[in-house]
Amino acid sequence: MINLKLSLSKAEQWVSQNEIDALFPSVRLASKKVYEKSGAGNGFLGWVDLPCTISEELLARLETDAAKIINQSDIVVVCGIGGSYLGARAVIDALSNPFGALLDKKTRKAPIVVYAGHHLNAEYHAKLLQLLDTVNYSLIVISKSGTTTEPAVAFRLLKKHIEKKYGTTQAAERIYAITDASKGALKKLATANGYTTYVIPDDVGGRYSVLTPVGLLPIAASGLNIRELVAGASRMEEFLKNYENPAENPAAMYAIARNILYHKGKTTEILAGYNPSISFLIEWWKQLYGESEGKDQKGIFPAGVNFTTDLHSLGQYIQEGLRNIFETVLTTANQDQNLTIPHSKDDLDGLNYIAGQEIASVNQKAKIGTMLAHVDGGVPNLEITIPELNEGNLGELIYFFEMGCALSGYLLGVNPFDQPGVEAYKVNMFALLQKPGFEKETEQILKRL
Ligand code: PA5
C-alpha cells in the first residue's frame, strides 16, 4: 500500500463525476502508451520501471562513494542544471535541517551541499570559489549531454580550483562525473582524467532522472537514505501498475482532474506547500510539468507558492485575480509537532486564545481556511497528502508526479519527454558568443541588435 493520498473534493464544483468518467478511456490509452512504450517520446520511458529495477550493485556503489565524499569533505559541490540539478536539491532541501550549514560537521554528520552551474552569474561563482579556498570539498558534476553551457563553464572554474588546491591526482579522486555512457565532452574529460563516473541511462530524460545517480549520488552524499527513497518510489511504481482502474489510481486521477480544469480555462496550476523545506520540490515539479507539457502552443503553466508566506504576497491575486488558476496543495505532516504557543500573562498580543496549541495545528487551520477561501473565490483546489516528510514518502511522491506528468502529457496530446523549445535561447546565445558553427546565426542576430 502507498501512503500518498489525492483528494479532489475541493474541486467538485468544477470537476464532475461524469467528466471524470468520460476521460477514463483516454487515460487508459495514455497508460497503455506509457507501459507498452508505444507513445510519443517512447525512447525516454526508462524511468517507468527504474525504481523496481535499480540493482543492489549500483546502490552499494553509490553508498560507498557517498561515504567517501562524506568522510573527506566539509562541502560537496553539485554542478548541474535543470534535470541534472533540481531533483537532488528537491530531496536534499526537503529532508535536511534548514540551519544545517550553521552546525559543526560532527553534529551535522554530512557535508553541506552547495550548487554550481545552475546559472551563469559571475558573482555567485566567484564567491563560491572563495569559500572553497577555505574548506575541504568534493565535486559532483552532472550533465547528460555533457555539453550544457552553464555547468560546463562552472566545471572549468571548479576543475581549475580543485586541481590547484589538491594537485591533479588527488583532485581526480574528489571528482565524480555523472553523464552519458559514451558520448559528450564530460565523458571524454572524465575518462581522460580518471574521475569516478556514473552513467545516466539513455532512455531517461533529465527531468525524470532523480532516481538515477543524477539524484542518488548527491542525495546519498548529503547523508540521506537512498534505499528508502528508492523503496518508496518502488512502492508507488508497483501500486500504480497494479491499479489499472483510473478511479483507484491517484496518478491517473490527478492527470484527469488537471485535464478537465485546463479545458475549462484553468490554464495555470499553482503547487502550494505549507513547509518552506519543500520550496525546491515545487521547483522540481515546475520543471517536470513545464518542460513536459508546455509545447505546441498548449499546456498548463506550472507555478508555485510557499504558504503561509506567500499568502501575504500572491494570496491577493489567488483570491481575487484572473480566474484562470487552480491550486494543488501539497500537504506534508510535520515530524516535530511538539512546538506549542506559549501562554503570556499580559496577553498584549491577544494570542492567549491559541496558547498551548501546536504551531503545526495552527498551520493546519491556516491551510484549511485558505483552501476554503480560495474555493469560494473560484479557485479549484486539489490536495496531495503525504503523512510525513521522509525518504520513503518522497520516493512515492516523485514517482507519482512523474507518472501523473506522463499521463497528463498524453491526455493533452503532446510528447511529454522532449523539450525542443529549450534550444531557442541556446542558439541565440551561441550566435552572440560567436560559437564556431553558428556563423550564419551570428550574422543574423547582430543585425537585430
Ligand atoms: O530535463 C531536461 O532534459 C533538461 O532540463 C536537462 O536536464 C538540462 O538542460 C541539463 O542537461 P544536461 O544534463 O545535458 O546538462
Side-chain angles (χ1 to χ4, degrees):
M1 281 308 283
I2 51 167
N3 294 323
L4 180 145
K5 303 247 172 314
L6 170 75
S7 165
L8 308 185
S9 69
K10 293 191 178 56
E12 272 167 358
Q13 291 173 49
W14 296 272
V15 180
S16 72
Q17 194 55 49
N18 284 346
E19 289 166 315
I20 293 174
D21 292 346
L23 275 177
F24 278 0
S26 309
V27 85
R28 279 205 171 92
L29 183 65
S31 185
K32 195 167 143 71
K33 284 183 190 167
V34 169
Y35 288 113
E36 292 182 1
K37 302 196 185 229
S38 56
N42 57 355
F44 291 95
L45 282 157
W47 57 271
V48 175
D49 49 13
L50 195 62
C52 289
T53 56
I54 289 183
S55 69
E56 169 56 34
E57 189 196 348
L58 176 60
L59 286 172
R61 198 181 149 220
L62 286 160
E63 285 171 336
T64 305
D65 281 333
K68 190 174 154 208
I69 294 172
I70 291 171
N71 189 36
Q72 70 184 8
S73 329
D74 303 315
I75 281 185
V76 52
V77 184
V78 176
C79 181
I81 196 166
S84 291
Y85 150 69
L86 284 162
R89 187 159 188 181
V91 176
I92 293 167
D93 278 18
L95 300 179
S96 306
N97 180 341
F99 307 106
L102 300 172
L103 303 174
D104 63 82
K105 194 181 165 191
K106 221 168 124 211
T107 320
R108 224 176 38 238
K109 297 196 188 84
I112 297 159
V113 182
V114 299
Y115 301 89
H118 52 310
H119 54 70
L120 286 164
N121 184 267
E123 199 177 353
Y124 176 97
H125 287 96
K127 295 253 161 65
L128 174 61
L129 294 176
Q130 280 165 25
L131 170 73
L132 297 178
D133 283 340
T134 64
V135 293
N136 275 317
Y137 72 99
S138 302
L139 181 52
I140 303 176
V141 54
I142 310 168
S143 178
K144 186 172 186 200
S145 64
T147 55
T148 307
T149 308
E150 291 90 338
V153 166
F155 185 59
R156 266 210 185 189
L157 298 171
L158 290 160
K159 180 174 179 294
K160 188 173 161 203
H161 187 277
I162 203 168
E163 286 179 349
K164 189 163 167 235
K165 188 174 172 106
Y166 295 104
T168 322
T169 314
Q170 267 196 41
E173 285 176 20
R174 287 176 174 268
I175 301 176
Y176 298 78
I178 305 175
T179 187
D180 181 86
S182 53
K183 53 180 197 283
L186 181 58
K187 177 68 193 166
K188 280 191 209 120
L189 207 67
T191 310
N193 291 290
Y195 305 150
T196 301
T197 56
Y198 283 91
V199 169
I200 308 174
D202 279 345
D203 58 357
V204 181
R207 58 190 175 274
Y208 292 84
S209 70
V210 55
L211 298 169
T212 72
V214 169
L216 296 179
L217 185 61
I219 292 166
S222 78
L224 295 169
N225 189 328
I226 53 171
R227 281 178 196 267
E228 283 178 15
L229 184 76
V230 170
S234 305
R235 229 165 29 232
M236 185 59 79
E237 180 190 330
E238 287 290 347
F239 184 89
L240 298 181
K241 204 166 27 194
N242 293 331
Y243 280 85
E244 274 182 41
N245 175 5
E248 294 172 291
N249 181 315
M253 290 303 286
Y254 180 48
I256 286 173
R258 297 178 83 249
N259 193 268
I260 293 169
L261 292 167
Y262 174 68
H263 288 293
K264 291 190 171 171
K266 304 292 183 190
T267 54
T268 295
E269 176 178 11
I270 303 176
L271 188 64
Y274 283 77
N275 178 346
S277 298
I278 64 166
S279 304
F280 265 88
L281 195 64
I282 294 173
E283 292 304 312
W284 170 82
W285 170 89
K286 278 160 65 176
Q287 189 216 0
L288 180 63
Y289 280 74
E291 270 192 357
S292 299
E293 289 192 312
K295 52 197 67 158
D296 306 339
Q297 318 279 304
K298 297 195 268 196
I300 295 172
F301 182 80
V305 288
N306 293 298
F307 290 156
T308 62
T309 311
D310 290 331
L311 288 172
H312 299 261
S313 60
L314 293 169
Q316 170 59 37
Y317 190 101
I318 297 170
Q319 190 67 47
E320 296 182 343
L322 194 64
R323 301 297 72 187
N324 65 340
I325 52 182
F326 69 98
E327 278 174 301
T328 298
V329 177
L330 183 51
T331 299
T332 57
N334 275 12
Q335 275 165 291
D336 299 317
Q337 300 213 353
N338 54 0
L339 193 61
T340 54
I341 296 169
H343 188 269
S344 155
K345 217 166 91 200
D346 46 25
D347 196 26
L348 290 178
D349 54 11
L351 274 187
N352 270 357
Y353 78 104
I354 46 172
Q357 286 200 33
E358 287 174 353
I359 294 192
S361 137
V362 178
N363 200 22
Q364 167 78 352
K365 303 275 167 25
K367 184 195 82 177
I368 297 169
T370 304
M371 288 178 80
L372 292 173
H374 288 177
V375 169
D376 291 346
V379 178
N381 268 232
L382 315 179
E383 187 174 16
I384 296 163
T385 306
I386 54 172
E388 190 183 307
L389 205 46
N390 59 27
E391 285 93 332
N393 289 336
L394 265 187
E396 281 193 12
L397 185 66
I398 285 168
Y399 192 89
F400 159 82
F401 273 139
E402 289 178 346
M403 185 58 79
C405 186
L407 297 177
S408 288
Y410 282 152
L411 282 184
L412 188 65
V414 298
N415 173 355
F417 307 112
D418 67 358
Q419 54 285 326
V422 178
E423 295 311 307
Y425 98 91
K426 291 186 190 168
V427 172
N428 284 350
M429 179 175 73
F430 293 150
L432 290 166
L433 290 169
Q434 307 196 6
K435 183 174 177 174
F438 286 78
E439 291 75 11
K440 219 172 80 209
E441 288 83 355
T442 301
E443 202 187 311
Q444 281 165 359
I445 205 164
L446 290 179
K447 282 191 201 139
R448 292 175 62 188
L449 300 180

PDB file of all heavy atoms in Angstrom, residues 337-362:
ATOM      1  N   GLN A 337       5.973  17.823  16.073  1.00  0.00           N
ATOM      2  CA  GLN A 337       4.712  18.538  16.290  1.00  0.00           C
ATOM      3  C   GLN A 337       4.561  19.006  17.732  1.00  0.00           C
ATOM      4  O   GLN A 337       3.477  19.310  18.170  1.00  0.00           O
ATOM      5  CB  GLN A 337       3.547  17.634  15.923  1.00  0.00           C
ATOM      6  CG  GLN A 337       3.617  17.210  14.473  1.00  0.00           C
ATOM      7  CD  GLN A 337       2.254  17.040  13.871  1.00  0.00           C
ATOM      8  OE1 GLN A 337       1.259  17.110  14.550  1.00  0.00           O
ATOM      9  NE2 GLN A 337       2.211  16.847  12.575  1.00  0.00           N
ATOM     10  N   ASN A 338       5.665  19.047  18.474  1.00  0.00           N
ATOM     11  CA  ASN A 338       5.503  19.355  19.889  1.00  0.00           C
ATOM     12  C   ASN A 338       5.856  20.805  20.234  1.00  0.00           C
ATOM     13  O   ASN A 338       6.098  21.129  21.387  1.00  0.00           O
ATOM     14  CB  ASN A 338       6.322  18.395  20.757  1.00  0.00           C
ATOM     15  CG  ASN A 338       7.772  18.387  20.316  1.00  0.00           C
ATOM     16  OD1 ASN A 338       8.109  19.100  19.374  1.00  0.00           O
ATOM     17  ND2 ASN A 338       8.591  17.607  20.967  1.00  0.00           N
ATOM     18  N   LEU A 339       5.900  21.655  19.223  1.00  0.00           N
ATOM     19  CA  LEU A 339       6.205  23.063  19.492  1.00  0.00           C
ATOM     20  C   LEU A 339       4.880  23.801  19.714  1.00  0.00           C
ATOM     21  O   LEU A 339       4.093  23.983  18.786  1.00  0.00           O
ATOM     22  CB  LEU A 339       6.958  23.657  18.298  1.00  0.00           C
ATOM     23  CG  LEU A 339       7.618  25.010  18.504  1.00  0.00           C
ATOM     24  CD1 LEU A 339       8.672  24.957  19.606  1.00  0.00           C
ATOM     25  CD2 LEU A 339       8.248  25.506  17.208  1.00  0.00           C
ATOM     26  N   THR A 340       4.663  24.203  20.981  1.00  0.00           N
ATOM     27  CA  THR A 340       3.375  24.833  21.286  1.00  0.00           C
ATOM     28  C   THR A 340       3.530  26.321  21.507  1.00  0.00           C
ATOM     29  O   THR A 340       4.612  26.820  21.836  1.00  0.00           O
ATOM     30  CB  THR A 340       2.745  24.207  22.555  1.00  0.00           C
ATOM     31  OG1 THR A 340       3.710  24.278  23.605  1.00  0.00           O
ATOM     32  CG2 THR A 340       2.342  22.768  22.336  1.00  0.00           C
ATOM     33  N   ILE A 341       2.437  27.051  21.357  1.00  0.00           N
ATOM     34  CA  ILE A 341       2.462  28.505  21.530  1.00  0.00           C
ATOM     35  C   ILE A 341       2.415  28.821  23.033  1.00  0.00           C
ATOM     36  O   ILE A 341       1.519  28.354  23.738  1.00  0.00           O
ATOM     37  CB  ILE A 341       1.281  29.143  20.776  1.00  0.00           C
ATOM     38  CG1 ILE A 341       1.473  28.860  19.273  1.00  0.00           C
ATOM     39  CG2 ILE A 341       1.178  30.642  21.051  1.00  0.00           C
ATOM     40  CD1 ILE A 341       0.311  29.165  18.416  1.00  0.00           C
ATOM     41  N   PRO A 342       3.411  29.583  23.502  1.00  0.00           N
ATOM     42  CA  PRO A 342       3.479  29.841  24.952  1.00  0.00           C
ATOM     43  C   PRO A 342       2.340  30.724  25.443  1.00  0.00           C
ATOM     44  O   PRO A 342       1.806  31.555  24.693  1.00  0.00           O
ATOM     45  CB  PRO A 342       4.827  30.561  25.134  1.00  0.00           C
ATOM     46  CG  PRO A 342       5.512  30.524  23.823  1.00  0.00           C
ATOM     47  CD  PRO A 342       4.513  30.209  22.764  1.00  0.00           C
ATOM     48  N   HIS A 343       1.973  30.560  26.702  1.00  0.00           N
ATOM     49  CA  HIS A 343       0.980  31.425  27.353  1.00  0.00           C
ATOM     50  C   HIS A 343       1.672  32.718  27.754  1.00  0.00           C
ATOM     51  O   HIS A 343       2.850  32.732  28.087  1.00  0.00           O
ATOM     52  CB  HIS A 343       0.412  30.701  28.585  1.00  0.00           C
ATOM     53  CG  HIS A 343      -0.733  31.431  29.191  1.00  0.00           C
ATOM     54  ND1 HIS A 343      -0.552  32.368  30.191  1.00  0.00           N
ATOM     55  CD2 HIS A 343      -2.057  31.399  28.935  1.00  0.00           C
ATOM     56  CE1 HIS A 343      -1.733  32.873  30.511  1.00  0.00           C
ATOM     57  NE2 HIS A 343      -2.663  32.294  29.758  1.00  0.00           N
ATOM     58  N   SER A 344       0.960  33.853  27.706  1.00  0.00           N
ATOM     59  CA  SER A 344       1.559  35.117  28.144  1.00  0.00           C
ATOM     60  C   SER A 344       0.652  35.746  29.195  1.00  0.00           C
ATOM     61  O   SER A 344      -0.568  35.831  28.998  1.00  0.00           O
ATOM     62  CB  SER A 344       1.717  36.045  26.927  1.00  0.00           C
ATOM     63  OG  SER A 344       1.727  37.375  27.325  1.00  0.00           O
ATOM     64  N   LYS A 345       1.262  36.192  30.323  1.00  0.00           N
ATOM     65  CA  LYS A 345       0.462  36.682  31.447  1.00  0.00           C
ATOM     66  C   LYS A 345      -0.366  37.899  31.037  1.00  0.00           C
ATOM     67  O   LYS A 345      -1.563  37.989  31.302  1.00  0.00           O
ATOM     68  CB  LYS A 345       1.396  37.029  32.614  1.00  0.00           C
ATOM     69  CG  LYS A 345       0.763  36.665  33.960  1.00  0.00           C
ATOM     70  CD  LYS A 345       1.773  36.668  35.075  1.00  0.00           C
ATOM     71  CE  LYS A 345       1.780  38.065  35.659  1.00  0.00           C
ATOM     72  NZ  LYS A 345       2.961  38.402  36.406  1.00  0.00           N
ATOM     73  N   ASP A 346       0.285  38.839  30.328  1.00  0.00           N
ATOM     74  CA  ASP A 346      -0.440  40.080  30.000  1.00  0.00           C
ATOM     75  C   ASP A 346      -1.237  39.967  28.683  1.00  0.00           C
ATOM     76  O   ASP A 346      -2.101  40.777  28.413  1.00  0.00           O
ATOM     77  CB  ASP A 346       0.520  41.276  29.951  1.00  0.00           C
ATOM     78  CG  ASP A 346       1.773  40.968  29.179  1.00  0.00           C
ATOM     79  OD1 ASP A 346       1.706  40.067  28.314  1.00  0.00           O
ATOM     80  OD2 ASP A 346       2.826  41.597  29.415  1.00  0.00           O
ATOM     81  N   ASP A 347      -0.935  39.028  27.839  1.00  0.00           N
ATOM     82  CA  ASP A 347      -1.654  38.785  26.571  1.00  0.00           C
ATOM     83  C   ASP A 347      -1.761  40.042  25.706  1.00  0.00           C
ATOM     84  O   ASP A 347      -2.798  40.307  25.084  1.00  0.00           O
ATOM     85  CB  ASP A 347      -3.062  38.212  26.870  1.00  0.00           C
ATOM     86  CG  ASP A 347      -3.690  37.574  25.618  1.00  0.00           C
ATOM     87  OD1 ASP A 347      -2.937  37.131  24.724  1.00  0.00           O
ATOM     88  OD2 ASP A 347      -4.931  37.547  25.521  1.00  0.00           O
ATOM     89  N   LEU A 348      -0.673  40.832  25.698  1.00  0.00           N
ATOM     90  CA  LEU A 348      -0.722  42.085  24.932  1.00  0.00           C
ATOM     91  C   LEU A 348      -0.932  41.840  23.438  1.00  0.00           C
ATOM     92  O   LEU A 348      -1.517  42.670  22.745  1.00  0.00           O
ATOM     93  CB  LEU A 348       0.562  42.895  25.165  1.00  0.00           C
ATOM     94  CG  LEU A 348       0.708  43.507  26.566  1.00  0.00           C
ATOM     95  CD1 LEU A 348       2.035  44.234  26.709  1.00  0.00           C
ATOM     96  CD2 LEU A 348      -0.456  44.464  26.863  1.00  0.00           C
ATOM     97  N   ASP A 349      -0.443  40.727  22.939  1.00  0.00           N
ATOM     98  CA  ASP A 349      -0.628  40.435  21.505  1.00  0.00           C
ATOM     99  C   ASP A 349      -1.941  39.702  21.225  1.00  0.00           C
ATOM    100  O   ASP A 349      -2.238  39.361  20.078  1.00  0.00           O
ATOM    101  CB  ASP A 349       0.568  39.618  20.964  1.00  0.00           C
ATOM    102  CG  ASP A 349       0.825  38.346  21.769  1.00  0.00           C
ATOM    103  OD1 ASP A 349      -0.034  37.995  22.604  1.00  0.00           O
ATOM    104  OD2 ASP A 349       1.873  37.717  21.567  1.00  0.00           O
ATOM    105  N   GLY A 350      -2.711  39.433  22.275  1.00  0.00           N
ATOM    106  CA  GLY A 350      -4.029  38.811  22.099  1.00  0.00           C
ATOM    107  C   GLY A 350      -3.977  37.378  21.605  1.00  0.00           C
ATOM    108  O   GLY A 350      -4.950  36.880  21.023  1.00  0.00           O
ATOM    109  N   LEU A 351      -2.862  36.704  21.827  1.00  0.00           N
ATOM    110  CA  LEU A 351      -2.722  35.337  21.290  1.00  0.00           C
ATOM    111  C   LEU A 351      -3.055  34.239  22.283  1.00  0.00           C
ATOM    112  O   LEU A 351      -2.969  33.057  21.936  1.00  0.00           O
ATOM    113  CB  LEU A 351      -1.279  35.114  20.788  1.00  0.00           C
ATOM    114  CG  LEU A 351      -0.935  35.546  19.371  1.00  0.00           C
ATOM    115  CD1 LEU A 351       0.474  35.096  19.021  1.00  0.00           C
ATOM    116  CD2 LEU A 351      -1.920  34.963  18.362  1.00  0.00           C
ATOM    117  N   ASN A 352      -3.464  34.631  23.495  1.00  0.00           N
ATOM    118  CA  ASN A 352      -3.716  33.585  24.505  1.00  0.00           C
ATOM    119  C   ASN A 352      -4.817  32.614  24.087  1.00  0.00           C
ATOM    120  O   ASN A 352      -4.889  31.505  24.583  1.00  0.00           O
ATOM    121  CB  ASN A 352      -4.058  34.214  25.865  1.00  0.00           C
ATOM    122  CG  ASN A 352      -2.786  34.436  26.684  1.00  0.00           C
ATOM    123  OD1 ASN A 352      -1.695  34.075  26.248  1.00  0.00           O
ATOM    124  ND2 ASN A 352      -2.917  35.054  27.852  1.00  0.00           N
ATOM    125  N   TYR A 353      -5.662  33.051  23.150  1.00  0.00           N
ATOM    126  CA  TYR A 353      -6.748  32.140  22.735  1.00  0.00           C
ATOM    127  C   TYR A 353      -6.216  30.888  22.037  1.00  0.00           C
ATOM    128  O   TYR A 353      -6.907  29.878  21.941  1.00  0.00           O
ATOM    129  CB  TYR A 353      -7.770  32.883  21.862  1.00  0.00           C
ATOM    130  CG  TYR A 353      -7.359  33.098  20.422  1.00  0.00           C
ATOM    131  CD1 TYR A 353      -7.900  32.315  19.398  1.00  0.00           C
ATOM    132  CD2 TYR A 353      -6.428  34.083  20.087  1.00  0.00           C
ATOM    133  CE1 TYR A 353      -7.520  32.502  18.085  1.00  0.00           C
ATOM    134  CE2 TYR A 353      -6.048  34.270  18.771  1.00  0.00           C
ATOM    135  CZ  TYR A 353      -6.595  33.490  17.776  1.00  0.00           C
ATOM    136  OH  TYR A 353      -6.208  33.669  16.484  1.00  0.00           O
ATOM    137  N   ILE A 354      -4.946  30.984  21.558  1.00  0.00           N
ATOM    138  CA  ILE A 354      -4.364  29.762  20.965  1.00  0.00           C
ATOM    139  C   ILE A 354      -3.150  29.270  21.782  1.00  0.00           C
ATOM    140  O   ILE A 354      -2.405  28.390  21.310  1.00  0.00           O
ATOM    141  CB  ILE A 354      -3.971  29.960  19.473  1.00  0.00           C
ATOM    142  CG1 ILE A 354      -3.212  31.265  19.234  1.00  0.00           C
ATOM    143  CG2 ILE A 354      -5.169  29.828  18.584  1.00  0.00           C
ATOM    144  CD1 ILE A 354      -2.641  31.385  17.821  1.00  0.00           C
ATOM    145  N   ALA A 355      -2.954  29.848  22.964  1.00  0.00           N
ATOM    146  CA  ALA A 355      -1.830  29.384  23.800  1.00  0.00           C
ATOM    147  C   ALA A 355      -2.006  27.896  24.085  1.00  0.00           C
ATOM    148  O   ALA A 355      -3.125  27.419  24.311  1.00  0.00           O
ATOM    149  CB  ALA A 355      -1.786  30.174  25.102  1.00  0.00           C
ATOM    150  N   GLY A 356      -0.896  27.179  24.060  1.00  0.00           N
ATOM    151  CA  GLY A 356      -0.935  25.733  24.303  1.00  0.00           C
ATOM    152  C   GLY A 356      -1.168  24.921  23.035  1.00  0.00           C
ATOM    153  O   GLY A 356      -0.974  23.708  23.022  1.00  0.00           O
ATOM    154  N   GLN A 357      -1.582  25.568  21.973  1.00  0.00           N
ATOM    155  CA  GLN A 357      -1.798  24.814  20.712  1.00  0.00           C
ATOM    156  C   GLN A 357      -0.470  24.603  19.980  1.00  0.00           C
ATOM    157  O   GLN A 357       0.417  25.452  20.032  1.00  0.00           O
ATOM    158  CB  GLN A 357      -2.737  25.590  19.782  1.00  0.00           C
ATOM    159  CG  GLN A 357      -4.170  25.537  20.234  1.00  0.00           C
ATOM    160  CD  GLN A 357      -5.119  25.868  19.080  1.00  0.00           C
ATOM    161  OE1 GLN A 357      -4.855  25.565  17.930  1.00  0.00           O
ATOM    162  NE2 GLN A 357      -6.232  26.491  19.433  1.00  0.00           N
ATOM    163  N   GLU A 358      -0.372  23.500  19.295  1.00  0.00           N
ATOM    164  CA  GLU A 358       0.833  23.252  18.499  1.00  0.00           C
ATOM    165  C   GLU A 358       0.844  24.174  17.279  1.00  0.00           C
ATOM    166  O   GLU A 358      -0.214  24.411  16.670  1.00  0.00           O
ATOM    167  CB  GLU A 358       0.850  21.796  18.025  1.00  0.00           C
ATOM    168  CG  GLU A 358       1.160  20.840  19.153  1.00  0.00           C
ATOM    169  CD  GLU A 358       1.033  19.393  18.743  1.00  0.00           C
ATOM    170  OE1 GLU A 358       0.572  19.128  17.624  1.00  0.00           O
ATOM    171  OE2 GLU A 358       1.384  18.546  19.562  1.00  0.00           O
ATOM    172  N   ILE A 359       2.051  24.653  16.939  1.00  0.00           N
ATOM    173  CA  ILE A 359       2.160  25.522  15.757  1.00  0.00           C
ATOM    174  C   ILE A 359       1.706  24.751  14.513  1.00  0.00           C
ATOM    175  O   ILE A 359       1.052  25.307  13.627  1.00  0.00           O
ATOM    176  CB  ILE A 359       3.594  26.058  15.604  1.00  0.00           C
ATOM    177  CG1 ILE A 359       3.871  26.985  16.793  1.00  0.00           C
ATOM    178  CG2 ILE A 359       3.786  26.786  14.272  1.00  0.00           C
ATOM    179  CD1 ILE A 359       5.083  27.820  16.719  1.00  0.00           C
ATOM    180  N   ALA A 360       2.024  23.448  14.489  1.00  0.00           N
ATOM    181  CA  ALA A 360       1.610  22.628  13.339  1.00  0.00           C
ATOM    182  C   ALA A 360       0.087  22.642  13.183  1.00  0.00           C
ATOM    183  O   ALA A 360      -0.425  22.648  12.060  1.00  0.00           O
ATOM    184  CB  ALA A 360       2.101  21.199  13.520  1.00  0.00           C
ATOM    185  N   SER A 361      -0.612  22.688  14.303  1.00  0.00           N
ATOM    186  CA  SER A 361      -2.072  22.669  14.206  1.00  0.00           C
ATOM    187  C   SER A 361      -2.595  24.031  13.725  1.00  0.00           C
ATOM    188  O   SER A 361      -3.583  24.110  12.987  1.00  0.00           O
ATOM    189  CB  SER A 361      -2.641  22.231  15.556  1.00  0.00           C
ATOM    190  OG  SER A 361      -3.723  22.994  15.926  1.00  0.00           O
ATOM    191  N   VAL A 362      -1.902  25.110  14.122  1.00  0.00           N
ATOM    192  CA  VAL A 362      -2.293  26.442  13.628  1.00  0.00           C
ATOM    193  C   VAL A 362      -2.046  26.496  12.105  1.00  0.00           C
ATOM    194  O   VAL A 362      -2.871  27.003  11.333  1.00  0.00           O
ATOM    195  CB  VAL A 362      -1.502  27.552  14.364  1.00  0.00           C
ATOM    196  CG1 VAL A 362      -1.856  28.934  13.825  1.00  0.00           C
ATOM    197  CG2 VAL A 362      -1.767  27.480  15.875  1.00  0.00           C
TER     198      VAL A 362
END
